[in-house]
């Protein structure tokens, strides 16, 4: 679809771009580290000899958070990222684009069927390392993972915040950042989601995190929030 592209612009965030089409449509995109390969049926665009992949905010909570006002993306070129709940690689693949070959993305996923799909994605991305494990047991993958600048957690479990804190203590560098996707309905279906987000953010504060932003992901993900917190 390269013929319909008007321009590609930098955003204020490293390695994240806006693809602007001739009809005025604007989409987030990343430079494709695995040229010629797509991951989830996303559209690609060739502009000035570079292949970009559209980043769908309805499929990726990090893209949704960016469009909903994330002030700073801690994921940068060269970052080491521990990603819990990597699934079949939709968001991990864009993070892999952003960190480039200098960075690493350790993708923990406990469903063997899903990890098989993640392995196919990783075949074309030398900075993406799939790990079949339960994020509740970080000791089971501690020998495979280096300390990380960013811990990304998207596991939709009732104890997701506790799991995030536990993994941070194992792997997150001092001053590193946590991006925690909170699914309110996995925690308490009876409570107002905003209340759930507050309670989970409070838990992080009590455990030594500086909570920098809580972003409601509506309309991209209903009853979800993305928390950005710094590990002190
Ligand atoms: C919402 S999906 C993740 C989507 C993915 N983060 C993305 O944006 O492309 C949640 C994933 O977390 C995985 N998961 C849930 N609990 C887990 C756990 N305790 N350990 C590892 N993976 C887990 C599920 O199997 C599922 O694939």
């Amino acid at each position: 679809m390269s013929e319909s592209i008007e321009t590609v612009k930098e955003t204020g965030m490293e390695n994240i771009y806006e693809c602007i089409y001739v009809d005025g449509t604007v989409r987030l995109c990343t430079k494709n580290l695995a040229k010629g390969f797509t991951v989830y049926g996303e559209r690609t665009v060739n502009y000035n000899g570079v292949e970009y992949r559209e980043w769908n905010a309805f499929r990726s909570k990090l893209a949704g958070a960016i469009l909903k006002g994330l002030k700073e993306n801690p994921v940068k070129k060269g970052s080491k990222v521990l990603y819990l709940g990597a699934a079949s690689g939709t968001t991990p693949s864009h993070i892999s684009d952003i960190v480039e070959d200098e960075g690493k993305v350790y993708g923990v996923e406990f469903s063997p069927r899903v990890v098989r799909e993640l392995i196919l994605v990783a075949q074309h991305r030398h900075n993406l390392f799939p790990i079949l494990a339960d994020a509740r047991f970080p000791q089971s993958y501690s020998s495979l993972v280096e300390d990380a600048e960013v811990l990304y957690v998207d596991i939709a479990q009732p104890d997701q915040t506790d799991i995030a804190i536990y993994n941070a203590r194992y792997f997150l560098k001092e001053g590193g950042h946590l991006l925690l996707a909170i699914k309110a309905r996995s925690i308490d279906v009876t409570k107002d989601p905003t209340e759930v987000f507050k309670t989970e953010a409070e838990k992080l504060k009590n455990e030594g995190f500086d909570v920098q932003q809580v972003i409601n992901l509506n309309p991209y993900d209903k009853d979800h929030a993305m928390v950005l917190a710094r590990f002190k």
Side-chain angles (χ1 to χ4, degrees):
M1 298 287 266
S2 55
E3 60 284 354
S4 65
I5 191 79
E6 171 138 342
T7 187
V8 175
K9 280 201 337 206
E10 290 190 359
T11 64
M13 291 176 180
E14 193 173 31
N15 281 346
I16 301 177
Y17 302 87
E18 277 178 349
C19 287
I20 302 171
Y21 294 90
V22 285
D23 67 0
T25 314
V26 180
R27 296 277 184 263
L28 277 186
C29 54
T30 56
K31 267 186 204 166
N32 194 358
L33 191 67
K35 212 170 170 189
F37 295 95
T38 57
V39 176
Y40 57 105
E42 69 279 20
R43 177 157 63 168
T44 59
V45 157
N46 288 299
Y47 183 74
N48 284 349
V50 178
E51 185 175 274
Y52 296 85
R53 296 191 301 133
E54 269 191 13
W55 193 1
N56 187 339
F58 288 95
R59 300 283 302 274
S60 169
K61 297 177 190 87
L62 183 54
I66 291 167
L67 293 182
K68 290 290 309 277
L70 182 70
K71 288 191 190 117
E72 195 212 329
N73 182 18
V75 179
K76 302 189 192 313
K77 180 176 174 179
S79 298
K80 291 189 189 76
V81 180
L82 173 60
Y83 193 120
L84 309 181
S88 50
T90 300
T91 304
S93 68
H94 286 287
I95 291 182
S96 149
D97 284 347
I98 295 168
V99 304
E100 295 191 41
D101 283 324
E102 293 88 335
K104 286 180 181 166
V105 187
Y106 298 100
V108 175
E109 170 56 54
F110 74 174
S111 160
R113 182 188 61 77
V114 173
V115 162
R116 278 200 286 277
E117 291 172 29
L118 185 62
I119 289 169
L120 295 178
V121 174
Q123 275 175 354
H124 310 291
R125 297 179 169 271
H126 301 303
N127 63 5
L128 175 59
F129 304 92
I131 297 171
L132 175 64
D134 187 330
R136 287 195 174 89
F137 306 106
Q139 59 277 22
S140 70
Y141 45 90
S142 61
S143 62
L144 305 172
V145 171
E146 287 169 82
D147 283 357
E149 282 92 31
V150 181
L151 173 62
Y152 188 100
V153 182
D154 181 16
I155 52 177
Q157 294 285 350
D159 54 345
Q160 52 195 252
T161 306
D162 298 322
I163 294 174
I165 292 166
Y166 194 36
N167 275 269
R169 295 222 177 92
Y170 263 86
F171 305 111
L172 193 54
K173 289 183 181 170
E174 203 186 313
H177 283 88
L178 167 68
L179 280 163
L180 172 64
I182 299 178
K183 183 176 179 182
R185 298 199 168 278
S186 294
I187 294 170
D188 192 336
V189 273
T190 65
K191 264 199 196 157
D192 176 1
T194 314
E195 281 307 308
V196 176
F197 302 152
K198 259 193 209 155
T199 310
E200 300 308 298
E202 212 45 52
K203 252 188 221 172
L204 290 173
K205 283 181 196 161
N206 294 337
E207 296 292 336
F209 286 85
D210 173 20
V211 174
Q212 298 177 320
Q213 261 190 296
V214 180
I215 301 168
N216 191 317
L217 295 180
N218 197 39
Y220 301 111
D221 272 285
K222 205 168 164 277
D223 300 333
H224 283 72
M226 181 67 82
V227 177
L228 173 67
R230 189 171 163 273
F231 192 43
K232 292 193 277 189

